[in-house]
Amino acid sequence: MFWIIRLAILMVLVFAVRKGGEPERLVTAVFATSFVLDGINHAVFGEPAFYAVNPGHLVIDSWAAIAFLWIALRANRGWPMWVCAAQIIVVLGHLAKVIDLSLVRFGYFAMTTLPINVQAMALFLGTAAHVRREERIGQYHGWRLA
């Protein structure tokens, strides 16, 4: 099941790169960079345990939240707000674990790993809406003008 979800996310990223505008491609770039940095984090520090905060994940997820926020505030689309909101949940999961290490492991797991599914769905639906909008009205600005 794990690999099916990963494959579906990869297909969404390919769809966004091929059919999306600049905001879709930037969100995909943030995802891809996060995945690469996560692989490096695991190679250097080993597999994380859900009973402790992984500092590498905290840094990577915080950087991704900042990048998604920048995109969400400037893109001429609504869906990046969903991606950003889900990433903020991830960061809040890390911060909650830093504050209280006795948090249940499954709650930490849910807050830090499941939002990617919401983000992938938002990216897919947003890219599909972008494609339909371009078919209907032609090219339009990917970013807000002011």
Side-chain angles (χ1 to χ4, degrees):
M1 183 66 165
F2 174 77
W3 288 107
I4 293 172
I5 293 171
R6 292 284 177 154
L7 181 61
I9 291 170
L10 178 63
M11 290 170 50
V12 167
L13 297 179
V14 170
F15 174 64
V17 166
R18 294 196 67 209
K19 298 290 187 177
E22 193 174 8
E24 289 80 11
R25 290 187 187 113
L26 277 176
V27 167
T28 301
V30 172
F31 277 132
T33 304
S34 295
F35 295 153
V36 169
L37 291 174
D38 186 57
I40 293 169
N41 180 47
H42 287 235
V44 172
F45 298 110
E47 289 298 314
F50 283 107
Y51 57 82
V53 174
N54 182 307
H57 283 170
L58 177 60
V59 170
I60 294 165
D61 290 335
S62 297
W63 166 80
I66 292 167
F68 288 145
L69 179 62
W70 185 90
I71 294 167
L73 292 176
R74 287 166 176 72
N76 190 20
R77 290 137 170 74
W79 67 265
M81 288 292 183
W82 284 87
V83 173
C84 182
Q87 191 65 31
I88 289 171
I89 290 171
V90 172
V91 173
L92 288 175
H94 290 303
L95 294 178
K97 191 70 166 181
V98 167
I99 292 168
D100 185 4
L101 287 175
S102 67
L103 281 175
V104 178
R105 290 187 297 186
F106 297 116
Y108 180 62
F109 168 80
M111 286 183 75
T112 58
T113 59
L114 297 180
I116 184 72
N117 300 321
V118 173
Q119 293 170 316
M121 185 58 67
L123 177 59
F124 173 75
L125 294 173
T127 303
H130 165 73
V131 169
R132 285 192 312 271
R133 194 176 306 117
E134 275 197 330
E135 289 172 353
R136 198 173 62 247
I137 66 171
Q139 287 192 336
Y140 61 99
H141 291 288
W143 303 101
R144 296 181 184 172
L145 299 176

